[in-house]
């Protein structure tokens, strides 16, 4: 397990504004170099607002162009919801958003690839890769005075994958993973006159990535050919089958 910037996933309903500046950055960009992407998340307000949606893609709607094999078809379920509004009008607001993602992705295999897998691993059953993901954002905005604003937010995502493999891999050589975690942030902004603002920001980032082996060793690769080097044979050409734990 390692703490790594694997990625940050936000519910789509939580995004208020996206800006891309290739050059000539604003002074608030802080020593930016090259192109920069800016993203502003939504906040609550004096009017209560919300949204709900679901994206669906059914496996039965996918066709196939690999007779005798397995197609790279997909099934997708992505429900999402958001809600924001006032806690104390004109002073304290809240906003929250959540999206759940469930995907099943088929691995494209030809009939020859399936035959090779079943020859070297009798009883092989074609498998699909799976993804489960949670995306969330919670945000509180306090207008302490006409010049002072405090924003507290928590972002959390978790991604779990299983059977992430290639067409020539058996299920025990495919990999799984678990990634994600929280980001806590706080921003205080003070307006000074009509032209000056002071921003003070702080945060804590904790997103881990863990690779999950699904089988046991040793790892075995079967190549379509072989070459000899200094009297020793080595696999050559495309890989026909990979079995066992790859770690």
């Amino acid at each position: 397990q390692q703490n790594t910037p694997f990625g940050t996933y936000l519910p789509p309903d939580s995004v208020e504004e996206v800006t891309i500046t290739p050059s000539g950055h604003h002074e608030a960009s802080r020593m930016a170099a090259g192109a920069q992407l800016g993203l502003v998340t939504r906040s609550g307000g004096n009017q209560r607002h919300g949204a709900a949606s679901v994206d669906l893609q059914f496996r039965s709607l996918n066709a196939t162009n690999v007779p005798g094999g397995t197609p790279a078809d997909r099934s997708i379920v992505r429900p999402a919801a958001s809600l924001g509004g006032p806690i104390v009008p004109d002073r304290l607001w809240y906003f929250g958003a959540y999206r759940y993602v469930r995907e099943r992705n088929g691995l494209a295999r030809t009939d020859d690839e399936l035959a090779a897998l079943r020859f070297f691993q009798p009883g092989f059953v074609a498998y699909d890769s799976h993804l489960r993901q949670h995306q969330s954002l919670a945000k509180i905005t306090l207008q302490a005075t006409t010049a002072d604003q405090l924003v507290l937010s928590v972002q959390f995502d978790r991604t779990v994958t299983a059977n992430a493999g290639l067409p020539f891999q058996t299920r025990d050589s495919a990999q799984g993973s678990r990634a994600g975690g929280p980001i806590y942030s706080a921003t205080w902004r003070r307006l000074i006159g009509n032209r000056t603002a002071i921003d003070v920001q702080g945060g804590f980032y904790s997103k881990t990535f863990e690779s999950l082996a699904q089988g046991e060793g040793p790892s075995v690769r079967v190549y379509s050919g072989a070459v000899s080097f200094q009297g020793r044979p080595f696999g050559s050409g495309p890989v026909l089958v990979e079995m066992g734990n790859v770690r």
Side-chain angles (χ1 to χ4, degrees), residues 40-64:
V40 178
T41 56
R42 299 182 68 182
S43 299
N46 285 331
Q47 297 294 324
R48 185 169 287 106
H49 54 87
S53 64
V54 60
D55 298 329
L56 298 173
Q57 179 174 318
F58 300 104
R59 187 173 188 177
S60 58
L61 299 178
N62 292 265
T64 177

Side-chain angles (χ1 to χ4, degrees), residues 199-243:
D199 281 2
V200 178
Q201 297 180 339
F204 177 76
Y205 178 101
S206 179
K207 293 187 182 292
T208 61
F209 176 82
E210 182 180 5
S211 180
L212 305 174
Q214 299 185 167
E216 299 179 352
S219 177
V220 177
R221 278 188 174 183
V222 180
Y223 290 87
S224 59
V227 296
S228 178
F229 179 72
Q230 295 182 349
R232 298 179 60 188
F234 291 89
S236 175
V239 178
L240 296 179
V241 175
E242 183 177 282
M243 303 175 289

